[in-house]
Amino acid sequence: MDDLMSQAVDLMIAGMGFVFAFLVVLVFATLLMSTLISRFAPPEPVTPAKTPRAKPKAPASVDPDTAEAIKKAIAQFRSRHKK
């Protein structure tokens, strides 16, 4: 039984070592690719700053007939959709 646990621990350490080594290689490969791309890639075009859009102005006053139609439509909607 002791030999089996020893083999299990050895296998666990070997597996964790391989995973750690792979991750270290992966980090260095990523850094190398990032350096190569930043060196040889053409620079990004400069985009102009966005200017805020002008907000459309609302009409100064609403026609009384339109306001009354809106009020009636809201009242009808609320009466049909009561909880």
Side-chain angles (χ1 to χ4, degrees):
M1 183 71 168
D2 189 35
D3 187 42
L4 188 61
M5 287 301 287
S6 174
Q7 286 179 348
V9 170
D10 289 343
L11 185 60
M12 179 186 68
I13 290 173
M16 291 175 72
F18 282 123
V19 168
F20 181 75
F22 174 75
L23 290 176
V24 168
V25 169
L26 185 65
V27 166
F28 284 117
T30 304
L31 289 173
L32 177 67
M33 286 189 301
S34 175
T35 304
L36 290 174
I37 292 212
S38 65
R39 182 176 295 167
F40 295 116
E44 292 184 19
V46 178
T47 57
K50 292 184 179 180
T51 56
R53 290 185 176 182
K55 295 182 180 177
K57 292 187 177 181
S61 63
V62 178
D63 181 34
D65 293 334
T66 306
E68 189 62 33
I70 292 172
K71 288 178 187 176
K72 286 181 181 179
I74 291 173
Q76 184 180 12
F77 177 82
R78 287 183 178 166
S79 68
R80 287 186 181 174
H81 294 90
K82 286 186 179 180
K83 288 187 176 182

